[in-house]
Amino acid sequence: MKNRVLLTRSKKENQLIISLLSDRTNIEFIQLNLINYSPLAVNNELFNEYSSLIITSNYVAKNISIAPKDDILVWVVGTKSAKELENKGYKIGFIAPSVEILIHNLPKSELNNMVYLSGDIISKEMPNGIRREVVYKVTYLNSLDQEVIVKIKEGINYLTAYSKNCAKTLLNLLVENNLLKYLENTKVIAISSSVGNILKPHFKNIIVTD
């Protein structure tokens, strides 16, 4: 019997996970494309005006251009994003496992020289003095397809959760469609404890992958 896994990222990211695990014949993937990204033009003058970048989104790390010069320092959330940025010629100043820890470790004397490259919706504000530049917009799913509802009612073994906003969106959709009762025994795989805590009151089994 196959394990049924509910994927809750963007369509592109969900398909990437399926591709990476294509050899796992014991898994049935169910795609729930909770988020959609729309890139915005980036003002290249930012790289001349600021000596340090703050990047908390893997989407930004993947889609940012190659470093225009070799002395741009980046404060980043996640080792995966850090690797993406290093491969594009950026220097890594600090890698944090969460936004909260990143903020705590920002050098107070350098805040005015930092620019935060973010989406239009964020879960945590940066300290005063840091410029925020919105480089992409996000939209979240506002209804569930009947096909996904049927799949959830049939039972899900694992459910993935990658961000606070996606976890909140998922929870709202499940409550709206009266589906939580079908997921009582579902294991939630959460990217961090802060994401897991959003779903913890409603699920018995939370696996945090910090």
Side-chain angles (χ1 to χ4, degrees), residues 70-186:
D70 59 10
D71 60 347
I72 301 176
L73 201 61
V74 184
W75 299 72
V76 60
V77 171
T79 54
K80 183 179 177 182
S81 291
K83 187 65 177 176
E84 297 264 6
L85 293 163
E86 278 187 317
N87 289 339
K88 293 180 178 180
Y90 294 92
K91 292 184 177 180
I92 305 302
F94 185 77
I95 304 171
S98 68
V99 177
E100 290 81 5
I101 292 175
L102 181 135
I103 290 173
H104 181 72
N105 285 276
L106 292 175
K108 291 184 173 59
S109 61
E110 293 295 319
L111 297 185
N112 290 326
N113 293 319
M114 293 182 149
V115 59
Y116 175 31
L117 304 183
S118 77
D120 59 325
I121 300 174
I122 57 175
S123 57
K124 194 81 174 177
E125 294 285 348
M126 288 293 151
N128 291 333
I130 295 173
R131 174 175 172 177
R132 179 184 169 201
E133 190 75 12
V134 175
V135 296
Y136 69 95
K137 289 188 176 183
V138 297
T139 53
Y140 293 96
L141 194 67
N142 56 22
S143 64
L144 293 178
D145 291 340
Q146 190 59 37
E147 182 182 352
V148 172
I149 291 174
V150 170
K151 293 282 190 182
I152 291 174
K153 287 183 176 180
E154 290 173 350
I156 301 292
N157 300 100
Y158 295 92
L159 180 161
T160 61
Y162 291 89
S163 74
K164 291 181 183 179
N165 288 329
C166 276
K168 291 173 183 175
T169 299
L170 174 64
L171 196 55
N172 289 337
L173 291 171
L174 293 175
V175 170
E176 182 181 296
N177 291 277
N178 197 27
L179 293 173
L180 280 174
K181 61 186 177 183
Y182 298 99
L183 301 173
E184 287 181 346
N185 297 314
T186 299

Side-chain angles (χ1 to χ4, degrees), residues 4-17:
R4 307 183 86 203
V5 179
L6 183 67
L7 301 175
T8 65
R9 304 190 84 173
S10 67
K11 182 177 181 179
K12 183 178 180 180
E13 291 292 337
N14 284 340
Q15 290 176 343
L16 176 61
I17 293 170

Side-chain angles (χ1 to χ4, degrees), residues 10-33:
S10 67
K11 182 177 181 179
K12 183 178 180 180
E13 291 292 337
N14 284 340
Q15 290 176 343
L16 176 61
I17 293 170
I18 292 171
S19 175
L20 289 172
L21 299 176
S22 59
D23 61 331
R24 307 291 181 91
T25 57
N26 64 328
I27 300 177
E28 177 188 354
F29 293 104
I30 299 161
Q31 293 191 64
L32 179 53
N33 305 322

